[in-house]
């Protein structure tokens, strides 16, 4: 597959191929652990994917086959967060998680090797996960003095159930790809050498579908779980659709033409 670079970054790669935006954490020497800069770059790339009309689906992955992502880089963990070049401690991966959930396009985690700690949470918040046979999943928080009680706990529990989610967090065990498949934590397991090919096939199937239908579905799936913020997304999409109608345009046109709007010609559906 001929990926072309969209933009050069320091700690990620950001590439394009036929409607797909691919974001790759590029720190294989640290099992693709993220620093505040990695996360900032991922946020920038994800935001680009949101606004780029050519991109219909986003793939999130890690460089190499050893790891998808091993979470926050513990060597830059300071007093109150992960410390970047500005010396400020941050937990900015939480902003990235929200962005992955709210971008109105499907995001697919393509996982080879370790998806662990904050790296596990990243695949959890993606819409779909395709795992290589060598993938390994788990949380490490209570072992290394951390926890993600946000999406990392509550959304995980929605996926695998309360008992399993508590087991995952309390024991910090590692689960292989087939165990992950059995608990509904991933969508598909494929031989490691087929991982990218299969992911691109899935992307192509998605790219043939109606973008507004996908957008509505993503926000509808989120709405049930995300409270007012979820309803805001779904309702925002309803407003988008309403703005496309002649009825809504009559309201705007009347205002601009300084006349009373005439909504009488629009049907009042039963
Ligand atoms: O919980 C949160 C958050 C919660 C709320 C809000 C924000 C959060 C943000 C982040 C996080 C977290 O991510 S906490 C969890 C942090 N991650 C971990 O606990 C995983 C640590 N790593 C490991 O357990 C293992 O390295 C591994 C299972 C991923 C891989 O093991 P393996 O294949 O035996 O390789 P290993 O030799 O351990 O690692 C290769 C190199 O990568 C090592 O460096 P070297 O000795 O060669 O110099 C290793 O230190 C480094 N490395 C791996 N993971 C990390 C790392 N360095 C820094 N941070 C890492 N996470």
């Amino acid at each position: 597959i001929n990926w072309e670079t969209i933009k050069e970054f320091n700690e990620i790669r950001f590439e394009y191929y036929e409607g797909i935006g691919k974001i790759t954490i590029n720190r294989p020497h640290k099992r693709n652990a993220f620093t505040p800069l990695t996360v900032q770059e991922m946020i920038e790339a994800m935001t680009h994917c949101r606004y780029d009309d050519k991109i219909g689906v986003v793939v999130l992955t890690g460089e190499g086959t050893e790891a998808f992502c091993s979470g926050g880089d513990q060597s830059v963990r300071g007093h109150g967060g992960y410390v970047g070049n500005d010396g400020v401690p941050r937990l900015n991966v939480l902003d990235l998680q929200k962005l992955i959930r709210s971008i109105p396009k499907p995001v697919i985690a393509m996982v080879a090797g370790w998806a662990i700690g904050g790296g596990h949470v990243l695949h959890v918040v993606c819409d779909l996960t395709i795992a290589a046979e060598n993938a390994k999943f788990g949380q490490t928080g209570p072992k290394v003095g951390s926890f993600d009680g946000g999406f990392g706990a509550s959304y995980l529990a929605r996926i695998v159930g309360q008992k399993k989610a508590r087991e995952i967090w309390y024991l910090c065990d590692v689960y292989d790809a087939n165990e992950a498949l059995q608990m509904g934590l991933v969508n598909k397991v494929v031989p490691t050498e087929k991982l990218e090919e299969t992911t691109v096939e899935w992307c192509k199937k998605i790219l043939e579908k109606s973008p507004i239908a996908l957008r509505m579905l993503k926000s509808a799936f989120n709405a049930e779980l995300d409270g007012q913020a979820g309803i805001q997304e779904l309702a925002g999409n309803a407003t988008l659709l309403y703005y496309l109608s002649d009825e809504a345009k009559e309201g705007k046109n009347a205002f601009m033409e300084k006349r009373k709007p005439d909504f009488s010609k629009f049907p009042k559906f039963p």
Side-chain angles (χ1 to χ4, degrees):
I1 291 157
N2 237 341
W3 297 99
E4 65 183 75
T5 299
I6 296 177
K7 186 179 166 184
E8 299 280 355
F9 285 99
N10 291 307
E11 300 192 350
I12 67 167
R13 284 192 288 109
F14 183 32
E15 294 160 303
Y16 176 83
Y17 172 74
E18 293 189 359
I20 308 167
K22 184 167 80 157
I23 301 170
T24 307
I25 304 174
N26 192 14
R27 306 186 77 233
H29 56 294
K30 295 246 186 178
R31 299 288 186 265
N32 295 319
F34 55 77
T35 70
L37 178 64
T38 327
V39 172
Q40 190 191 313
E41 291 182 347
M42 282 196 276
I43 288 173
E44 191 185 325
M46 195 62 75
T47 305
H48 177 113
C49 291
R50 178 171 194 165
Y51 293 125
D52 189 336
D53 200 32
K54 294 197 303 297
I55 294 175
V57 52
V58 183
V59 172
L60 187 61
T61 192
E63 177 61 27
T65 54
E66 288 291 319
F68 168 75
C69 176
S70 64
D73 187 326
Q74 298 303 297
S75 69
V76 300
R77 182 170 150 189
H79 199 54
Y82 297 84
V83 182
N85 289 337
D86 60 3
V88 179
R90 285 195 168 77
L91 298 172
N92 60 345
V93 76
L94 300 177
D95 297 325
L96 175 64
Q97 294 173 7
K98 283 195 284 189
L99 188 54
I100 292 171
R101 273 181 80 76
S102 64
I103 176 175
K105 300 171 181 178
V107 181
I108 304 183
M110 180 168 91
V111 178
W114 293 102
I116 201 111
H120 187 257
V121 179
L122 279 182
H123 105 85
V124 164
V125 298
C126 289
D127 292 270
L128 304 170
T129 298
I130 304 184
E133 274 168 353
N134 79 338
K136 291 179 283 292
F137 300 87
Q139 297 297 156
T140 61
K143 210 160 63 179
V144 299
S146 183
F147 65 93
D148 184 339
F151 290 127
S154 63
Y155 188 45
L156 179 69
R158 291 292 187 135
I159 295 170
V160 301
Q162 283 282 339
K163 295 279 182 187
K164 203 70 196 179
R166 288 170 201 233
E167 173 193 313
I168 290 169
W169 274 101
Y170 296 171
L171 275 64
C172 298
D173 277 348
V174 170
Y175 304 85
D176 68 25
N178 283 317
E179 288 171 302
L181 186 65
Q182 266 167 27
M183 62 173 117
L185 187 57
V186 306
N187 296 86
K188 194 171 177 66
V189 178
V190 295
T192 308
E193 64 278 7
K194 289 253 187 278
L195 181 60
E196 186 161 277
E197 185 186 322
T198 310
T199 306
V200 169
E201 272 169 28
W202 280 49
C203 289
K204 284 186 172 164
K205 285 191 196 175
I206 291 171
L207 287 163
E208 288 168 0
K209 306 299 184 290
S210 156
I212 287 189
L214 296 172
R215 178 188 186 102
M216 294 303 296
L217 281 165
K218 179 159 178 171
S219 64
F221 281 120
N222 288 350
E224 190 216 340
L225 307 177
D226 290 356
Q228 284 198 330
I231 291 168
Q232 186 231 25
E233 270 180 33
L234 185 62
N237 284 335
T239 305
L240 184 162
L241 293 178
Y242 179 55
Y243 272 28
L244 300 176
S245 72
D246 291 337
E247 181 176 336
K249 285 175 184 160
E250 167 61 12
K252 184 211 89 172
N253 291 340
F255 177 82
M256 294 306 291
E257 292 159 18
K258 300 193 188 300
R259 61 173 172 81
K260 253 180 101 171
D262 176 11
F263 291 117
S264 63
K265 57 178 176 272
F266 299 107
K268 296 173 187 66
F269 294 98

PDB file of all heavy atoms in Angstrom, residues 150-174:
ATOM      1  N   GLY A 150     -11.966   7.155  33.646  1.00  0.00           N
ATOM      2  CA  GLY A 150     -12.884   7.742  32.657  1.00  0.00           C
ATOM      3  C   GLY A 150     -13.333   6.685  31.663  1.00  0.00           C
ATOM      4  O   GLY A 150     -13.802   5.609  32.039  1.00  0.00           O
ATOM      5  N   PHE A 151     -13.135   6.990  30.372  1.00  0.00           N
ATOM      6  CA  PHE A 151     -13.496   6.002  29.344  1.00  0.00           C
ATOM      7  C   PHE A 151     -12.781   4.678  29.605  1.00  0.00           C
ATOM      8  O   PHE A 151     -13.313   3.609  29.320  1.00  0.00           O
ATOM      9  CB  PHE A 151     -13.112   6.506  27.948  1.00  0.00           C
ATOM     10  CG  PHE A 151     -13.948   7.661  27.465  1.00  0.00           C
ATOM     11  CD1 PHE A 151     -13.350   8.835  27.023  1.00  0.00           C
ATOM     12  CD2 PHE A 151     -15.329   7.579  27.441  1.00  0.00           C
ATOM     13  CE1 PHE A 151     -14.110   9.896  26.563  1.00  0.00           C
ATOM     14  CE2 PHE A 151     -16.108   8.634  26.975  1.00  0.00           C
ATOM     15  CZ  PHE A 151     -15.486   9.801  26.534  1.00  0.00           C
ATOM     16  N   GLY A 152     -11.568   4.768  30.141  1.00  0.00           N
ATOM     17  CA  GLY A 152     -10.755   3.571  30.366  1.00  0.00           C
ATOM     18  C   GLY A 152     -11.420   2.582  31.300  1.00  0.00           C
ATOM     19  O   GLY A 152     -11.150   1.376  31.230  1.00  0.00           O
ATOM     20  N   ALA A 153     -12.289   3.058  32.182  1.00  0.00           N
ATOM     21  CA  ALA A 153     -13.019   2.154  33.075  1.00  0.00           C
ATOM     22  C   ALA A 153     -14.466   1.997  32.612  1.00  0.00           C
ATOM     23  O   ALA A 153     -14.920   0.889  32.322  1.00  0.00           O
ATOM     24  CB  ALA A 153     -12.979   2.685  34.509  1.00  0.00           C
ATOM     25  N   SER A 154     -15.192   3.121  32.499  1.00  0.00           N
ATOM     26  CA  SER A 154     -16.632   3.003  32.262  1.00  0.00           C
ATOM     27  C   SER A 154     -16.953   2.524  30.853  1.00  0.00           C
ATOM     28  O   SER A 154     -17.844   1.702  30.654  1.00  0.00           O
ATOM     29  CB  SER A 154     -17.330   4.331  32.540  1.00  0.00           C
ATOM     30  OG  SER A 154     -16.861   5.329  31.655  1.00  0.00           O
ATOM     31  N   TYR A 155     -16.217   3.016  29.863  1.00  0.00           N
ATOM     32  CA  TYR A 155     -16.515   2.557  28.496  1.00  0.00           C
ATOM     33  C   TYR A 155     -16.015   1.121  28.313  1.00  0.00           C
ATOM     34  O   TYR A 155     -16.676   0.307  27.657  1.00  0.00           O
ATOM     35  CB  TYR A 155     -15.893   3.510  27.469  1.00  0.00           C
ATOM     36  CG  TYR A 155     -16.318   3.229  26.054  1.00  0.00           C
ATOM     37  CD1 TYR A 155     -17.651   2.981  25.743  1.00  0.00           C
ATOM     38  CD2 TYR A 155     -15.392   3.194  25.022  1.00  0.00           C
ATOM     39  CE1 TYR A 155     -18.056   2.706  24.447  1.00  0.00           C
ATOM     40  CE2 TYR A 155     -15.782   2.923  23.719  1.00  0.00           C
ATOM     41  CZ  TYR A 155     -17.114   2.674  23.433  1.00  0.00           C
ATOM     42  OH  TYR A 155     -17.490   2.404  22.145  1.00  0.00           O
ATOM     43  N   LEU A 156     -14.878   0.812  28.939  1.00  0.00           N
ATOM     44  CA  LEU A 156     -14.393  -0.578  28.901  1.00  0.00           C
ATOM     45  C   LEU A 156     -15.459  -1.518  29.467  1.00  0.00           C
ATOM     46  O   LEU A 156     -15.731  -2.579  28.898  1.00  0.00           O
ATOM     47  CB  LEU A 156     -13.092  -0.712  29.695  1.00  0.00           C
ATOM     48  CG  LEU A 156     -12.497  -2.122  29.752  1.00  0.00           C
ATOM     49  CD1 LEU A 156     -11.977  -2.557  28.388  1.00  0.00           C
ATOM     50  CD2 LEU A 156     -11.361  -2.208  30.782  1.00  0.00           C
ATOM     51  N   ALA A 157     -16.087  -1.094  30.572  1.00  0.00           N
ATOM     52  CA  ALA A 157     -17.113  -1.939  31.193  1.00  0.00           C
ATOM     53  C   ALA A 157     -18.319  -2.098  30.275  1.00  0.00           C
ATOM     54  O   ALA A 157     -18.960  -3.159  30.263  1.00  0.00           O
ATOM     55  CB  ALA A 157     -17.539  -1.352  32.543  1.00  0.00           C
ATOM     56  N   ARG A 158     -18.631  -1.071  29.494  1.00  0.00           N
ATOM     57  CA  ARG A 158     -19.731  -1.193  28.529  1.00  0.00           C
ATOM     58  C   ARG A 158     -19.397  -2.219  27.455  1.00  0.00           C
ATOM     59  O   ARG A 158     -20.275  -2.828  26.865  1.00  0.00           O
ATOM     60  CB  ARG A 158     -20.004   0.156  27.843  1.00  0.00           C
ATOM     61  CG  ARG A 158     -20.585   1.196  28.759  1.00  0.00           C
ATOM     62  CD  ARG A 158     -21.999   0.798  29.174  1.00  0.00           C
ATOM     63  NE  ARG A 158     -22.600   1.884  29.905  1.00  0.00           N
ATOM     64  CZ  ARG A 158     -23.851   2.322  29.698  1.00  0.00           C
ATOM     65  NH1 ARG A 158     -24.618   1.750  28.792  1.00  0.00           N
ATOM     66  NH2 ARG A 158     -24.326   3.308  30.421  1.00  0.00           N
ATOM     67  N   ILE A 159     -18.118  -2.347  27.163  1.00  0.00           N
ATOM     68  CA  ILE A 159     -17.706  -3.269  26.100  1.00  0.00           C
ATOM     69  C   ILE A 159     -17.628  -4.705  26.607  1.00  0.00           C
ATOM     70  O   ILE A 159     -18.190  -5.613  26.006  1.00  0.00           O
ATOM     71  CB  ILE A 159     -16.343  -2.822  25.512  1.00  0.00           C
ATOM     72  CG1 ILE A 159     -16.482  -1.451  24.825  1.00  0.00           C
ATOM     73  CG2 ILE A 159     -15.817  -3.858  24.520  1.00  0.00           C
ATOM     74  CD1 ILE A 159     -15.157  -0.833  24.433  1.00  0.00           C
ATOM     75  N   VAL A 160     -16.930  -4.890  27.734  1.00  0.00           N
ATOM     76  CA  VAL A 160     -16.674  -6.277  28.172  1.00  0.00           C
ATOM     77  C   VAL A 160     -17.516  -6.683  29.383  1.00  0.00           C
ATOM     78  O   VAL A 160     -17.462  -7.835  29.804  1.00  0.00           O
ATOM     79  CB  VAL A 160     -15.172  -6.509  28.493  1.00  0.00           C
ATOM     80  CG1 VAL A 160     -14.312  -6.229  27.271  1.00  0.00           C
ATOM     81  CG2 VAL A 160     -14.710  -5.665  29.689  1.00  0.00           C
ATOM     82  N   GLY A 161     -18.305  -5.748  29.922  1.00  0.00           N
ATOM     83  CA  GLY A 161     -19.103  -6.036  31.114  1.00  0.00           C
ATOM     84  C   GLY A 161     -18.357  -5.657  32.379  1.00  0.00           C
ATOM     85  O   GLY A 161     -17.129  -5.560  32.403  1.00  0.00           O
ATOM     86  N   GLN A 162     -19.117  -5.437  33.444  1.00  0.00           N
ATOM     87  CA  GLN A 162     -18.561  -4.946  34.703  1.00  0.00           C
ATOM     88  C   GLN A 162     -17.566  -5.925  35.334  1.00  0.00           C
ATOM     89  O   GLN A 162     -16.485  -5.538  35.770  1.00  0.00           O
ATOM     90  CB  GLN A 162     -19.689  -4.666  35.703  1.00  0.00           C
ATOM     91  CG  GLN A 162     -20.439  -3.373  35.431  1.00  0.00           C
ATOM     92  CD  GLN A 162     -19.665  -2.144  35.915  1.00  0.00           C
ATOM     93  OE1 GLN A 162     -18.781  -2.247  36.765  1.00  0.00           O
ATOM     94  NE2 GLN A 162     -20.016  -0.984  35.370  1.00  0.00           N
ATOM     95  N   LYS A 163     -17.928  -7.202  35.375  1.00  0.00           N
ATOM     96  CA  LYS A 163     -17.057  -8.168  36.053  1.00  0.00           C
ATOM     97  C   LYS A 163     -15.697  -8.225  35.364  1.00  0.00           C
ATOM     98  O   LYS A 163     -14.651  -8.181  36.007  1.00  0.00           O
ATOM     99  CB  LYS A 163     -17.688  -9.573  36.032  1.00  0.00           C
ATOM    100  CG  LYS A 163     -18.963  -9.689  36.818  1.00  0.00           C
ATOM    101  CD  LYS A 163     -18.706  -9.867  38.306  1.00  0.00           C
ATOM    102  CE  LYS A 163     -20.031 -10.022  39.042  1.00  0.00           C
ATOM    103  NZ  LYS A 163     -19.874 -10.027  40.497  1.00  0.00           N
ATOM    104  N   LYS A 164     -15.731  -8.331  34.016  1.00  0.00           N
ATOM    105  CA  LYS A 164     -14.487  -8.474  33.269  1.00  0.00           C
ATOM    106  C   LYS A 164     -13.663  -7.190  33.377  1.00  0.00           C
ATOM    107  O   LYS A 164     -12.439  -7.239  33.545  1.00  0.00           O
ATOM    108  CB  LYS A 164     -14.816  -8.785  31.792  1.00  0.00           C
ATOM    109  CG  LYS A 164     -13.720  -9.476  31.070  1.00  0.00           C
ATOM    110  CD  LYS A 164     -13.538 -10.911  31.556  1.00  0.00           C
ATOM    111  CE  LYS A 164     -12.209 -11.468  31.106  1.00  0.00           C
ATOM    112  NZ  LYS A 164     -12.013 -12.851  31.584  1.00  0.00           N
ATOM    113  N   ALA A 165     -14.321  -6.022  33.298  1.00  0.00           N
ATOM    114  CA  ALA A 165     -13.586  -4.756  33.365  1.00  0.00           C
ATOM    115  C   ALA A 165     -12.883  -4.621  34.719  1.00  0.00           C
ATOM    116  O   ALA A 165     -11.740  -4.172  34.811  1.00  0.00           O
ATOM    117  CB  ALA A 165     -14.530  -3.584  33.126  1.00  0.00           C
ATOM    118  N   ARG A 166     -13.573  -5.025  35.771  1.00  0.00           N
ATOM    119  CA  ARG A 166     -12.959  -4.947  37.105  1.00  0.00           C
ATOM    120  C   ARG A 166     -11.792  -5.923  37.216  1.00  0.00           C
ATOM    121  O   ARG A 166     -10.743  -5.598  37.776  1.00  0.00           O
ATOM    122  CB  ARG A 166     -14.019  -5.214  38.186  1.00  0.00           C
ATOM    123  CG  ARG A 166     -14.977  -4.043  38.321  1.00  0.00           C
ATOM    124  CD  ARG A 166     -16.177  -4.351  39.194  1.00  0.00           C
ATOM    125  NE  ARG A 166     -17.256  -3.429  38.894  1.00  0.00           N
ATOM    126  CZ  ARG A 166     -17.905  -2.694  39.802  1.00  0.00           C
ATOM    127  NH1 ARG A 166     -17.609  -2.793  41.081  1.00  0.00           N
ATOM    128  NH2 ARG A 166     -18.862  -1.870  39.430  1.00  0.00           N
ATOM    129  N   GLU A 167     -11.978  -7.111  36.637  1.00  0.00           N
ATOM    130  CA  GLU A 167     -10.875  -8.088  36.618  1.00  0.00           C
ATOM    131  C   GLU A 167      -9.653  -7.483  35.903  1.00  0.00           C
ATOM    132  O   GLU A 167      -8.522  -7.553  36.415  1.00  0.00           O
ATOM    133  CB  GLU A 167     -11.338  -9.361  35.887  1.00  0.00           C
ATOM    134  CG  GLU A 167     -10.240 -10.382  35.655  1.00  0.00           C
ATOM    135  CD  GLU A 167     -10.674 -11.473  34.659  1.00  0.00           C
ATOM    136  OE1 GLU A 167     -11.802 -12.018  34.799  1.00  0.00           O
ATOM    137  OE2 GLU A 167      -9.880 -11.776  33.738  1.00  0.00           O
ATOM    138  N   ILE A 168      -9.901  -6.888  34.738  1.00  0.00           N
ATOM    139  CA  ILE A 168      -8.801  -6.337  33.940  1.00  0.00           C
ATOM    140  C   ILE A 168      -8.026  -5.302  34.748  1.00  0.00           C
ATOM    141  O   ILE A 168      -6.789  -5.299  34.771  1.00  0.00           O
ATOM    142  CB  ILE A 168      -9.349  -5.719  32.630  1.00  0.00           C
ATOM    143  CG1 ILE A 168      -9.845  -6.831  31.681  1.00  0.00           C
ATOM    144  CG2 ILE A 168      -8.296  -4.858  31.933  1.00  0.00           C
ATOM    145  CD1 ILE A 168     -10.638  -6.324  30.472  1.00  0.00           C
ATOM    146  N   TRP A 169      -8.745  -4.439  35.452  1.00  0.00           N
ATOM    147  CA  TRP A 169      -8.079  -3.363  36.196  1.00  0.00           C
ATOM    148  C   TRP A 169      -7.499  -3.839  37.530  1.00  0.00           C
ATOM    149  O   TRP A 169      -6.430  -3.394  37.939  1.00  0.00           O
ATOM    150  CB  TRP A 169      -9.050  -2.202  36.445  1.00  0.00           C
ATOM    151  CG  TRP A 169      -9.094  -1.236  35.294  1.00  0.00           C
ATOM    152  CD1 TRP A 169     -10.041  -1.160  34.322  1.00  0.00           C
ATOM    153  CD2 TRP A 169      -8.137  -0.197  35.000  1.00  0.00           C
ATOM    154  NE1 TRP A 169      -9.739  -0.147  33.446  1.00  0.00           N
ATOM    155  CE2 TRP A 169      -8.580   0.457  33.828  1.00  0.00           C
ATOM    156  CE3 TRP A 169      -6.953   0.237  35.597  1.00  0.00           C
ATOM    157  CZ2 TRP A 169      -7.887   1.528  33.252  1.00  0.00           C
ATOM    158  CZ3 TRP A 169      -6.262   1.298  35.027  1.00  0.00           C
ATOM    159  CH2 TRP A 169      -6.730   1.920  33.872  1.00  0.00           C
ATOM    160  N   TYR A 170      -8.193  -4.736  38.225  1.00  0.00           N
ATOM    161  CA  TYR A 170      -7.738  -5.121  39.567  1.00  0.00           C
ATOM    162  C   TYR A 170      -6.541  -6.081  39.499  1.00  0.00           C
ATOM    163  O   TYR A 170      -5.659  -6.050  40.345  1.00  0.00           O
ATOM    164  CB  TYR A 170      -8.869  -5.793  40.365  1.00  0.00           C
ATOM    165  CG  TYR A 170     -10.078  -4.929  40.678  1.00  0.00           C
ATOM    166  CD1 TYR A 170     -11.230  -5.496  41.240  1.00  0.00           C
ATOM    167  CD2 TYR A 170     -10.098  -3.552  40.433  1.00  0.00           C
ATOM    168  CE1 TYR A 170     -12.353  -4.725  41.534  1.00  0.00           C
ATOM    169  CE2 TYR A 170     -11.230  -2.786  40.719  1.00  0.00           C
ATOM    170  CZ  TYR A 170     -12.341  -3.376  41.265  1.00  0.00           C
ATOM    171  OH  TYR A 170     -13.455  -2.628  41.552  1.00  0.00           O
ATOM    172  N   LEU A 171      -6.536  -6.966  38.481  1.00  0.00           N
ATOM    173  CA  LEU A 171      -5.477  -7.978  38.412  1.00  0.00           C
ATOM    174  C   LEU A 171      -4.300  -7.549  37.532  1.00  0.00           C
ATOM    175  O   LEU A 171      -3.197  -8.059  37.679  1.00  0.00           O
ATOM    176  CB  LEU A 171      -6.029  -9.320  37.894  1.00  0.00           C
ATOM    177  CG  LEU A 171      -6.652 -10.252  38.938  1.00  0.00           C
ATOM    178  CD1 LEU A 171      -7.893  -9.650  39.578  1.00  0.00           C
ATOM    179  CD2 LEU A 171      -6.985 -11.599  38.321  1.00  0.00           C
ATOM    180  N   CYS A 172      -4.557  -6.640  36.589  1.00  0.00           N
ATOM    181  CA  CYS A 172      -3.530  -6.221  35.617  1.00  0.00           C
ATOM    182  C   CYS A 172      -2.948  -7.416  34.849  1.00  0.00           C
ATOM    183  O   CYS A 172      -1.752  -7.444  34.567  1.00  0.00           O
ATOM    184  CB  CYS A 172      -2.407  -5.425  36.278  1.00  0.00           C
ATOM    185  SG  CYS A 172      -2.954  -3.904  37.039  1.00  0.00           S
ATOM    186  N   ASP A 173      -3.794  -8.388  34.545  1.00  0.00           N
ATOM    187  CA  ASP A 173      -3.346  -9.528  33.726  1.00  0.00           C
ATOM    188  C   ASP A 173      -3.245  -9.117  32.251  1.00  0.00           C
ATOM    189  O   ASP A 173      -3.804  -8.095  31.852  1.00  0.00           O
ATOM    190  CB  ASP A 173      -4.351 -10.693  33.835  1.00  0.00           C
ATOM    191  CG  ASP A 173      -4.108 -11.537  35.082  1.00  0.00           C
ATOM    192  OD1 ASP A 173      -3.048 -11.358  35.721  1.00  0.00           O
ATOM    193  OD2 ASP A 173      -4.976 -12.368  35.406  1.00  0.00           O
ATOM    194  N   VAL A 174      -2.556  -9.948  31.499  1.00  0.00           N
ATOM    195  CA  VAL A 174      -2.428  -9.714  30.056  1.00  0.00           C
ATOM    196  C   VAL A 174      -3.311 -10.725  29.317  1.00  0.00           C
ATOM    197  O   VAL A 174      -3.364 -11.895  29.688  1.00  0.00           O
ATOM    198  CB  VAL A 174      -0.955  -9.872  29.611  1.00  0.00           C
ATOM    199  CG1 VAL A 174      -0.850  -9.871  28.095  1.00  0.00           C
ATOM    200  CG2 VAL A 174      -0.106  -8.768  30.227  1.00  0.00           C
TER     201      VAL A 174
END
